[in-house]
Amino acid sequence: MRKQASFIANRAHQWLENPWPFAVLVGTALIYVAFLASGLAEEILDNESIVRVDGWLVHWLAAHRTPFGIGFFETVSFVGNWEVATLMVVAAVIFLWNRRQRAALTLALACAGSELVVYFGKAGFGRPRPPAILSVVTELDGSFPSGHANISVALYALGFYLLFRSARSPRLKRLWLALAFLFPLLIGFSRLYLGAHYLSDVLAGWGIGLWWSILVLGVPGFVRRRRATKRQAADFTSRPNTAK
């Protein structure tokens, strides 16, 4: 079974080294995530089932909060504040610029592009936050989509994924991959637990962060594969004909 899985993984890796299958995969992922996010926004505008789930979950979490939970998730939520995220991005870019310029640009573009979408989304939808009586935090901007959820993917998950790709140790790879999943879940849930957002806000934030992460990884990946393919073709045509 392990040999079969390894064989399939190797074949998939070889297939994706071709730029056009890779482009199809990236394009499909972008369209799919965009479709999910737009469908979510449409359900909110039409006041459909997701809105009822939003209301039920906010009330349920408010009734089951504990002092320990509030303190813990306030700390988790703080990591996703725009001030902290901005400092993290600036520090990462400065630290990586001389050694891993591509990774620095990837993080900066993902965060800047996704936060711009969040900003216009909040302004465009103008969705009110959950009622103050059900919340333990006070926020002044719109509720949809969640900026914290977005940054949990566009900064933290993407950053840990870049560390995963550059790590050589299997243990470190497992650690970075686990953190790439754990941070968005914790930060997103912290916003629900504190009554700062509805579930659909968090899902949309994750979707925006994921879309931009796929974009900033996919476009350079396609360009690199195209260049490699052209180099291989040039090398092949430049070889002397040794046939007799």
Side-chain angles (χ1 to χ4, degrees), residues 143-226:
S143 187
F144 183 90
S146 168
H148 279 69
N150 167 62
I151 213 66
S152 72
V153 176
L155 172 59
Y156 293 109
L158 179 58
F160 286 127
Y161 174 73
L162 293 173
L163 289 171
F164 161 81
R165 288 206 315 188
S166 63
R168 296 181 180 180
S169 165
R171 285 187 179 182
L172 276 179
K173 280 184 173 292
R174 287 193 293 267
L175 173 64
W176 299 137
L177 197 60
L179 290 175
F181 283 100
L182 185 62
F183 261 63
L185 291 175
L186 281 174
I187 293 175
F189 184 75
S190 75
R191 305 304 285 168
L192 300 176
Y193 190 88
L194 299 174
H197 280 291
Y198 295 106
L199 175 62
S200 53
D201 303 335
V202 171
L203 293 176
W206 282 340
I208 293 169
L210 179 60
W211 192 92
W212 274 91
S213 297
I214 295 171
L215 181 69
V216 297
L217 290 172
V219 172
F222 172 76
V223 172
R224 287 196 302 272
R225 285 164 173 79
R226 280 280 291 168

Side-chain angles (χ1 to χ4, degrees), residues 7-76:
F7 173 77
I8 293 173
N10 288 334
R11 290 301 296 267
H13 178 75
Q14 292 173 5
W15 183 69
L16 290 175
E17 284 302 307
N18 188 303
W20 295 111
F22 180 80
V24 169
L25 179 65
V26 170
T28 302
L30 289 172
I31 293 170
Y32 181 69
V33 174
F35 176 78
L36 291 179
S38 62
L40 191 63
E42 185 178 357
E43 284 201 3
I44 291 170
L45 290 174
D46 294 340
N47 200 31
E48 294 189 6
S49 56
I50 188 65
V51 178
R52 292 190 291 272
V53 174
D54 284 342
W56 171 83
L57 186 58
V58 164
H59 283 83
W60 190 90
L61 288 172
H64 291 83
R65 289 193 193 108
T66 65
F68 173 81
I70 291 172
F72 176 76
F73 284 112
E74 280 181 337
T75 303
V76 172

